[in-house]
Amino acid sequence: MQAFIDFLSAHQLRLLDIIGAVLGLVYILLEYKANIWFWIVSLIMPLVDMALYFKAGLFADFGMAVYYAVASVCGFIYWKTGSIFGNRKKKNVEISHFPVKTILPCVLVFLVLWLGLYLFLSYATTSTVPVRDSFTTALSIVALWALTNKYIEQWLLWLVVDIVSCQLYIHKGIPFKAILYGIYVVIAVFGYRKWLLMYGK
């Protein structure tokens, strides 16, 4: 028994990496189909990711995982009812395009988040990758908002996040997560096309 415990302790990072990657595959396949149950998987996945990112020193990603867990509850409710705070008249959220009027505010929010997270990581943590870690986290926050609203272009935002994250996880020695994000890159392209077709129905 002690040998098993020692094995888990010695390979904790790798095991968390594998479990997170498996959950990530289930998540992205459900998202690809615009299946509401992907929000449930996205509530479980961040719990594993929190431990993984903290051990790997990816502190902004750790914070993103906390945000993602909370946002998953809101996303599920919003997709189900059309309102975060409850709505007596049930209305499912439909796939649509990113409103032009929200582009500038989203860009500004992204830039402010990126700068704020970068400064925090640089001066308040031991992060060795503050620029990339803060970039992917800031853009993920905007992308998750777009996903919650079922905007087709959320796939393009995730495409950028996935490309940078894949390289970042390779650099930090998290190979299974890196492979997962490499797969995400491909699925993001096909997901964008699929949601365009679903929107055109």
Side-chain angles (χ1 to χ4, degrees), residues 9 14 29 31 33 40 44 53 64 66 77 81 95 99 123 135 137 147 154 170-171 185 195:
S9 179
R14 186 70 71 236
L29 291 174
E31 181 187 351
K33 297 177 180 179
I40 303 302
I44 300 169
Y53 294 145
M64 180 63 195
V66 175
I77 294 171
T81 68
I95 292 173
Y123 296 103
F135 174 85
T137 300
L147 170 58
Q154 58 96 10
I170 291 172
H171 174 73
V185 170
W195 278 36

Side-chain angles (χ1 to χ4, degrees), residues 38-135:
F38 90 90
W39 288 112
I40 303 302
V41 179
S42 72
L43 178 60
I44 300 169
M45 186 171 61
L47 301 179
V48 175
D49 287 344
M50 282 180 216
L52 175 66
Y53 294 145
F54 187 80
K55 284 188 168 294
L58 295 167
F59 302 113
D61 278 357
F62 173 85
M64 180 63 195
V66 175
Y67 166 76
Y68 208 100
V70 175
S72 295
V73 176
C74 296
F76 180 83
I77 294 171
Y78 188 70
W79 276 32
K80 193 75 175 173
T81 68
S83 172
I84 297 289
F85 302 104
N87 192 336
R88 291 183 180 179
K89 185 178 180 182
K90 186 176 177 180
K91 180 189 73 174
N92 289 328
V93 178
E94 300 294 333
I95 292 173
S96 61
H97 282 288
F98 206 103
V100 175
K101 65 181 180 181
T102 62
I103 293 177
L104 181 58
C106 283
V107 170
L108 293 176
V109 167
F110 161 69
L111 292 174
V112 169
L113 285 171
W114 187 11
L115 176 61
L117 287 168
Y118 167 74
L119 292 174
F120 174 78
L121 292 177
S122 296
Y123 296 103
T125 75
T126 57
S127 175
T128 58
V129 285
V131 174
R132 285 172 290 175
D133 196 9
S134 57
F135 174 85

Side-chain angles (χ1 to χ4, degrees), residues 5-31:
I5 294 174
D6 291 341
F7 174 82
L8 290 179
S9 179
H11 298 86
Q12 194 173 29
L13 186 67
R14 186 70 71 236
L15 290 171
L16 289 170
D17 187 14
I18 294 170
I19 294 169
V22 171
L23 288 171
L25 284 174
V26 175
Y27 162 85
I28 197 68
L29 291 174
L30 290 174
E31 181 187 351

